[in-house]
Amino acid sequence: MDIERTLAALTLPEKAALVSGKKSWYTAAIDRLDIPALMMTDGPSGLRKQTADSGTTNINDSVQAITYPAAALSASSWNTDLLRQLGEHLGTEARAEQISLLLGPGVNLKRSPLGGRNFEYLSEDPLVAGELGSAYVQGVQSQHVGVAVKHFAANNRENQRFTASSDMSQRTLRELYLRTFEIIVKSALPATVMTSYNKINGTLNSQNRRLLRSILRDEWGFHGAVMSDWGAVANNVQALRAGLDLEMPGQGQASVDSIIRAVETGELDEGTLNKAVRHLLHIIENWLPADHHDTYDHAAHHDFARHVADDSIVLLKNRHQELPLTAKNAGNLVVVGELAAQPRYQGSGSSHVNPTNLVTPLMALQNSELTANYYPGYRLDQSETDDSLAQAALEAAKSADHVIIFAGYPENTESEGFDKTSLMLPENQGELIGSLAKVNDHVTVVLQNGSAVEMPWINSVDAVVETYLAGEAVGEATWDIITGKVNPSGHLAETFPRRLTDTPMAPTFGQDPHHERYTEGVFMGYRYYDTHEMHVLFPFGHGLSYTTFEYTNMAITENEHGATVSFDLTNTGDRPGQAVPQLYVANHASHVPMPTKELRAFTKVAVAPGETKPVTLKLTRRDFSWWCEGKARWQADTGDYEIMIGDSSRDIRLQTKLTMDFKNSPAPVTMETYLTTIVQDPRLRDIFQATVLAPKYAGENNFLAATDENGNLALLQDQMFLNMPLRAVIALGGPAPLIADFIAAANERKS
Ligand code: BGC
């Protein structure tokens, strides 16, 4: 297509139609100019294709498709290669269905564990969400299917999601809630970005010029199209002016008419409309599906869904090596819980998929090496204990060698569209876990849930396996982990707090219908719990293995552009395993409140028993930077940092100090600069020594250069004196000309 010629040939009503969407899943076709309609479909963990002619209004009524683990689980893999392959599989399936745009991934941060859509989002940390999201996007788009990265941005609660404003400082926005999108936009070049329903600091995101034009396009260099979430636009003319290219699903002729009217009255410049049309024509040109229908191997894709779950399920606890349970050691095994027969394996709302081949844990048990007696134990459709079901399970548990109970949130407690109100399992499940643990010493809990759970019973059970929402191969993957056929290697991409009231936003989350105030700032997730040294149930990054890993030989090289950190990783156990080394940086150089550590790099490494592998992780200048609101830019400060390699944010294995010199970054020295700052900075201290303190100045009525009987510079040992700015030093009789020389020399290197 010759985009400029096509644009010139389009009439105003045709252009208005193009930017307005057509029915639920299409852009408008302009037959006169051979411009086809593009089809788009949810969603992040499997296709939800509702055909044009199906006329269905039921959100769950879609073509059959492979149901992959929800993002909460696949993110726990911490495996970018895996997420890229997941994207490739989804892309292949979308192409076979003639889909141009896949509406995913969902990459917002899990700010509060109550967030209704947490199951669909990747992490509480912007780097994990950004790197994994980027790999997924690259995978999908490698199959010639575009994505919609959603929901841009700060969509962290569901209640009143169409109107509530996410209110936060620019630093919080940049360092956390925009950071994920920035990583993905810059590294994966997504076809489209979907704006979220909410406002940020009072402005609706789909009508937010700063967000859509200044930041997304001008700063980050986004070249794709921006579409709205379904029904997110309040005023389509304002949205176009702000930088939205496509209103979805569009309000039919009403949307088209209001654009025509706005151009005719001069309210909307036609040049602005043309920009949006141009973006859309590029999308149509780039992502139109090929004519031929590809197919894919359903069985192989189902196996891949199992592999994703295998690589992601998190072994949270394993006291006395309760797991793995094999045919040899399981003895008389009892399996409890209706969720084993009717698992929760996917989220609800727009990411709901109609699975091709659901294999429940009970079904998969038949094909595993284990044999067990099964008892439902509780009813999923109620939260009260059903005494006869519970009693039957307890009786069986008394004489069992091992008990496995399946527990989790029922579907009606977590979904798109509303937030959770509690982190507790339904009463009947929680009680039953406690009672089982009283009659049996070998209880394993298998969890099926979309986000963090409180576990008041944690000390009474031996093992906990977090399977989140594991997709259609939930049954197979669960036993793969329990039997040790697969060595667990998932790690939490979110913190599990001990209780809801420990979360920093507990008193305010969802309270004000109009505003969600992010008063915790950048202290969210582990950044909060670690800084405040709070106990947590399971820390960010935590995940056990059936083998053990040792970290040794840390070495760092650095320059003004960043640093390279290397170390050795040894598998000290007796079976192959995968470790997830996490690199955290603590910033001691900057004079703004900083979390005690922030994740800046990670990887996943497979290591054979007895093998040692060298690992190298890179840090860029940005990894040492923070968002300076005053200067409206990223700032990296010269000074001390701590580099930590951990197996979780609380299990730091290697640690070393690093002094970074960013050359042009120190704050300028002025009369307001304190002596402490000068004394603590090696470079400033040397210049101060040379220009003000050197013995040659001692005679010049320079009390700063006076030494005590041991020859030490007396006043520079004095805490009260150090706590003075240069201006005060001069006022007290310090040598003004020498201090002026010092300031000039200190600032010389700044560019
Ligand atoms: C959701 C989007 C989804 C869209 C289309 C909206 O309600 O927020 O994530 O892609 O519906 O189903």
Side-chain angles (χ1 to χ4, degrees), residues 24-25 41-43 48 59 103-104 117 120 150-151 155 158 161-162 194 197 229-230 350 416:
S24 290
W25 310 112
T41 279
D42 286 309
R48 188 173 73 88
I59 201 166
L103 303 177
R117 232 169 160 173
E120 206 174 333
K150 63 193 191 182
H151 306 89
N155 168 223
E158 287 295 281
R161 64 175 168 164
F162 287 86
M194 185 195 290
Y197 290 121
D229 199 344
W230 270 232
S350 62
E416 174 185 341

Side-chain angles (χ1 to χ4, degrees), residues 244-513:
L244 191 86
D245 301 311
L246 176 64
E247 179 194 8
M248 283 306 293
Q251 299 168 48
Q253 199 54 40
S255 289
V256 177
D257 288 346
S258 70
I259 295 170
I260 297 173
R261 221 172 20 248
V263 172
E264 285 171 354
T265 59
E267 189 194 347
L268 177 67
D269 175 30
E270 193 158 356
T272 304
L273 176 62
N274 287 347
K275 271 190 194 163
V277 174
R278 193 177 284 118
H279 294 146
L280 275 178
L281 291 178
H282 275 289
I283 295 296
I284 294 169
E285 165 90 341
N286 291 339
W287 303 104
L288 193 67
D291 263 348
H292 58 88
H293 278 257
D294 298 320
T295 53
Y296 63 95
D297 178 345
H298 285 70
H301 281 229
H302 174 90
D303 287 347
F304 179 71
R306 173 180 183 168
H307 173 60
V308 175
D310 281 345
D311 208 62
S312 310
I313 289 174
V314 189
L315 179 61
L316 290 175
K317 174 172 180 174
N318 196 18
R319 187 166 63 191
H320 310 315
Q321 268 73 52
E322 170 67 11
L323 300 181
L325 285 176
T326 61
K328 273 198 203 128
N329 67 4
N332 170 14
L333 174 64
V334 163
V335 170
V336 179
E338 199 180 343
L339 282 166
Q342 293 186 48
R344 247 211 84 226
Y345 62 98
Q346 65 165 326
S348 40
S350 62
S351 69
H352 183 278
V353 182
N354 184 7
T356 53
N357 176 20
L358 171 63
V359 182
T360 69
L362 268 197
M363 287 159 70
L365 181 62
Q366 315 301 321
N367 298 326
S368 79
E369 62 185 274
L370 300 173
T371 44
N373 291 317
Y374 168 66
Y375 299 84
Y378 58 82
R379 286 177 54 165
L380 269 178
D381 59 358
Q382 64 180 42
S383 56
E384 300 81 42
T385 296
D386 178 318
D387 287 334
S388 67
L389 291 183
Q391 275 314 316
L394 287 170
E395 274 312 309
K398 278 181 193 159
S399 54
D401 296 309
H402 299 272
V403 175
I404 298 176
I405 171 162
F406 286 76
Y409 292 134
E411 181 147 314
N412 61 6
T413 59
E414 55 181 5
S415 165
E416 174 185 341
F418 61 89
D419 295 309
K420 290 221 285 276
T421 51
S422 153
L423 302 183
M424 297 294 282
L425 293 177
E427 224 173 285
N428 51 358
Q429 297 186 27
E431 264 176 23
L432 186 57
I433 295 172
S435 316
L436 287 169
K438 283 199 184 110
V439 299
N440 191 296
D441 284 340
H442 300 285
V443 174
T444 294
V445 181
V446 175
L447 288 170
Q448 297 173 353
N449 49 292
S451 70
V453 179
E454 283 184 36
M455 304 181 198
W457 35 261
I458 187 67
N459 293 328
S460 65
V461 302
D462 267 355
V464 181
V465 180
E466 176 56 87
T467 70
Y468 281 109
L469 306 175
E472 64 176 48
V474 51
E476 293 142 308
T478 302
W479 297 114
D480 285 345
I481 296 294
I482 289 177
T483 60
K485 187 168 170 185
V486 169
N487 190 353
S489 64
H491 285 245
L492 291 178
E494 63 183 319
T495 309
F496 276 35
R498 278 188 314 169
R499 41 179 187 247
L500 180 58
T501 46
D502 286 350
T503 64
M505 64 292 297
T508 54
F509 183 77
Q511 294 301 312
D512 181 334

Side-chain angles (χ1 to χ4, degrees), residues 64 77 98 127 139 148 205 243 313 360 362 373 377 555 575 657 688:
Q64 277 199 321
S77 69
Q98 299 285 294
L127 180 75
N205 287 356
I313 289 174
T360 69
L362 268 197
N373 291 317
R575 60 170 80 208
K657 281 213 165 26
F688 199 67

